[in-house]
Amino acid sequence: MSFAGEKIIYKATCSSTNTIAMELLLAENVPEGTVIITDNQTNGRGQRANVWASEPYKNLTFSLILYPTWLNIQNSFLLNMLTAISIYKTLNTYIPNGLFVKWPNDIYYQTKKIGGVLIENLINQNKIKTSVIGIGLNINQTTFSLTNITSLSLVCGHEFNLSSLLTQLTNTIQTEYALLAQGEIDILQKDYLAALYWLYEKRSFQDKTGYFQGVIQGVDAIGRLVVQKEDGQMAHYDCKEITFIA
């Protein structure tokens, strides 16, 4: 792969960097590692049609194009893992305590969300042809409409240089991506588990059967959250099949 972030396509304003990335991929050959970044994303998208709102010129909102053609679609959650871990490791240099990865790939400081990821893959014969990794990180924004949102600036008490953070993060993604390409899956999974929010803690959740208490045991081979219920049953959840309560 070319250096992640070596080619940067800047859009002053756009609806969604993931949408722009997909349009570029359909229209032309785009080098692997290309970043599409904007200062003002007007229609940012999160997991399963959620909206990612970001104040203009304050945060990092970008998409990264990768070509992990050697990765089977069954193992696609490894891309979520490497992205979340890359963000975690980058922010961890400024926030040494209280930082977590909330399954599947949200980044939390204590009980508040600081960033999120949306990965969209194009598939060819059970292999991933192209992966567009959309990342939204709250960096210098200090006011939010929701109470469970925070930013790097709010946590640390000062503003950050967005360009420097982008370089730091893409360098970390480059390192983690190389590990994945070399088959170092165990390292990736170990790092992801070590950062996982609520791991091995008795907590309250909600699924289609109602409210229950359980303990997160980890993530299975296809990326489902594994929760042990009070009756000992191991339940496996896809995205949006379980809600974290308290």
Side-chain angles (χ1 to χ4, degrees):
M1 179 177 73
S2 301
F3 171 70
E6 184 176 306
K7 181 178 180 181
I8 295 179
I9 299 172
Y10 171 73
K11 301 286 184 181
T13 299
C14 74
S15 61
S16 161
T17 56
N18 264 36
T19 300
I20 297 293
M22 286 294 188
E23 290 171 351
L24 285 172
L25 286 167
L26 292 174
E28 59 185 270
N29 291 323
V30 183
E32 188 172 34
T34 295
V35 167
I36 298 93
I37 190 165
T38 185
D39 282 321
N40 185 20
Q41 186 166 247
T42 59
N43 190 28
R45 294 178 288 128
Q47 290 285 347
R48 301 293 173 91
N50 289 340
V51 174
W52 180 264
S54 178
E55 185 179 341
Y57 307 102
K58 293 288 188 179
N59 305 313
L60 282 177
T61 47
F62 69 96
S63 297
L64 174 68
I65 293 173
L66 299 177
Y67 299 126
T69 53
W70 31 266
L71 193 62
N72 289 326
I73 186 60
Q74 293 92 334
N75 297 323
S76 63
F77 192 76
L78 292 170
L79 292 172
N80 296 67
M81 282 188 170
L82 86 82
T83 306
I85 283 302
S86 296
I87 298 170
Y88 174 88
K89 288 183 176 181
T90 300
L91 297 185
N92 192 229
T93 61
Y94 308 102
I95 306 174
N97 299 299
L99 202 64
F100 301 96
V101 175
K102 183 182 178 186
W103 176 88
N105 48 27
D106 284 340
I107 309 301
Y108 266 56
Y109 171 68
Q110 295 180 352
T111 60
K112 296 187 176 185
K113 186 174 178 177
I114 201 168
V117 176
L118 175 64
I119 299 178
E120 297 178 292
N121 298 316
L122 297 176
I123 311 302
N124 182 28
Q125 296 182 341
N126 206 40
K127 298 277 189 176
I128 297 176
K129 179 182 178 183
T130 306
S131 185
V132 175
I133 298 177
I135 295 174
L137 291 179
N138 296 327
I139 304 299
N140 292 325
Q141 186 170 339
T142 56
T143 58
F144 298 93
S145 58
L146 300 174
T147 58
N148 67 329
I149 308 291
T150 191
S151 70
L152 188 60
S153 177
L154 281 175
V155 175
C156 297
H158 61 87
E159 289 199 348
F160 289 81
N161 183 287
L162 296 179
S163 295
S164 296
L165 272 176
L166 177 65
T167 299
Q168 184 181 353
L169 177 53
T170 52
N171 284 346
T172 307
I173 292 173
Q174 172 96 12
T175 300
E176 297 297 318
Y177 188 63
L179 284 174
L180 178 58
Q182 293 161 15
E184 300 288 352
I185 295 173
D186 289 349
I187 296 174
L188 200 59
Q189 293 171 328
K190 181 181 177 182
D191 287 348
Y192 184 85
L193 269 185
L196 198 60
Y197 192 56
W198 288 6
L199 183 69
Y200 305 138
E201 298 178 14
K202 188 175 182 179
R203 293 285 186 167
S204 298
F205 302 90
Q206 183 182 12
D207 62 12
K208 63 182 180 181
T209 67
Y211 292 94
F212 68 93
Q213 291 212 311
V215 179
I216 293 175
Q217 299 296 317
V219 177
D220 68 15
I222 59 173
R224 296 178 301 177
L225 187 70
V226 181
V227 180
Q228 184 175 22
K229 294 190 170 185
E230 288 185 292
D231 62 0
Q233 172 197 354
M234 292 292 185
H236 297 246
Y237 295 98
D238 282 318
C239 191
K240 292 297 184 183
E241 291 182 347
I242 186 171
T243 301
F244 290 54
I245 303 299

